Amino acid sequence: MQEKELYIKIEQNIEILNKKVYLSDIAKLYSTDSKMVHDLNKTELMTIQAKENTKYIVSIMKVIELISKKYPGCKVNNLGEQDFIISYIVPEKKGKKWEYVKAVFVAAIILLGSAFSIMTFNADVSVADIFDKTYKLVLGQEASSNGVVEIAYCIGLPIGITVFFNHFSRKATCNDPTPLQVEMRTYEEDTNKALIQNASREGKTIDAH
């Protein structure tokens, strides 16, 4: 009899909304035995008891143990993470009005913070002095009031930020992630690794018995 072989892939962090967690919720399974895959997808991994948002650190050994109990002779090939995070999120019903209020509030915070950052940057590098020197070099005299350079700077700054982050165009100029997206993904990966390492050191990882 040919030995059954299963390929399994699990991401580093999986968000779960239901109390009962099945293998299909956390993993992608593949095998030539489709019946086995269908059966394993319906296999319960754990039942969450928490009543609030909680993160659980789980070892791939726990998953392999569960699979081996149902299919003792199955060879499991892990193509994903060795330790992963199950993030349980309590479903919340919120009205659209509240979502709009939060969006406006966040947008206002970002606007004020960005404006403050730009002003402090201009003050630090003495942009006004630079403009004065530019006028002297080009025109040979000091500017009597705000001129073309200041206007071009005010217009070019928001346009440059918009083009650089490339978030407002329906058709992106390229498929590469923006610098902000790269930083967010890096922060997310570092946070996940720290959670996994802390759980391992504290012995809180859900592992095989």
Side-chain angles (χ1 to χ4, degrees):
M1 184 177 179
Q2 187 177 4
E3 182 186 45
K4 292 184 178 181
E5 194 167 5
L6 177 71
Y7 294 89
I8 180 171
K9 183 178 180 181
I10 303 178
E11 301 296 331
Q12 194 176 56
N13 194 331
I14 308 105
E15 291 186 356
I16 299 295
L17 300 177
N18 300 315
K19 292 277 188 178
K20 289 187 178 296
V21 182
Y22 298 92
L23 284 184
S24 60
D25 296 325
I26 65 162
K28 293 180 180 179
L29 305 178
Y30 174 78
S31 174
T32 54
D33 189 341
S34 57
K35 183 179 180 300
M36 179 180 67
V37 172
H38 184 266
D39 184 29
L40 288 173
N41 277 330
K42 293 184 176 181
T43 303
E44 183 179 333
L45 174 67
M46 61 186 293
T47 300
I48 295 174
Q49 304 295 334
K51 296 182 180 180
E52 57 186 12
N53 294 350
T54 311
K55 293 183 183 293
Y56 298 91
I57 314 301
V58 185
S59 170
I60 188 63
M61 295 300 293
K62 180 65 178 178
V63 179
I64 294 175
E65 179 188 43
L66 186 64
I67 295 172
S68 297
K69 285 181 179 179
K70 298 205 70 171
Y71 293 91
C74 179
K75 178 183 178 182
V76 181
N77 299 293
N78 179 33
L79 304 179
E81 298 290 332
Q82 294 184 352
D83 297 299
F84 57 93
I85 302 171
I86 294 179
S87 300
Y88 172 65
I89 300 175
V90 179
E92 295 181 4
K93 295 182 179 179
K94 295 182 178 179
K96 290 186 176 180
K97 291 183 179 179
W98 175 243
E99 295 296 328
Y100 289 140
V101 170
K102 288 199 300 183
V104 171
F105 178 74
V106 172
I109 294 294
I110 294 174
L111 177 63
L112 294 174
S114 300
F116 181 78
S117 298
I118 292 171
M119 287 188 293
T120 53
F121 170 77
N122 290 340
D124 287 341
V125 300
S126 301
V127 172
D129 294 339
I130 295 173
F131 287 159
D132 290 339
K133 291 179 181 178
T134 302
Y135 277 116
K136 287 181 181 180
L137 289 172
V138 177
L139 301 178
Q141 61 183 8
E142 294 183 358
S144 56
S145 60
N146 292 337
V148 178
V149 177
E150 285 84 356
I151 295 173
Y153 178 76
C154 293
I155 295 174
L157 186 62
I159 292 176
I161 293 174
T162 303
V163 173
F164 181 74
F165 285 104
N166 195 26
H167 275 306
F168 301 98
S169 175
R170 289 186 177 180
K171 186 176 181 181
T173 55
C174 63
N175 294 324
D176 295 337
T178 65
L180 181 60
Q181 289 173 326
V182 172
E183 289 300 322
M184 289 296 293
R185 296 297 174 269
T186 302
Y187 171 77
E188 184 179 351
E189 288 181 3
D190 290 342
T191 301
N192 291 338
K193 289 178 181 178
L195 288 171
I196 292 171
Q197 290 175 0
N198 288 342
S200 178
R201 291 175 182 175
E202 296 171 6
K204 294 182 179 179
T205 303
I206 300 175
D207 211 333
H209 296 298

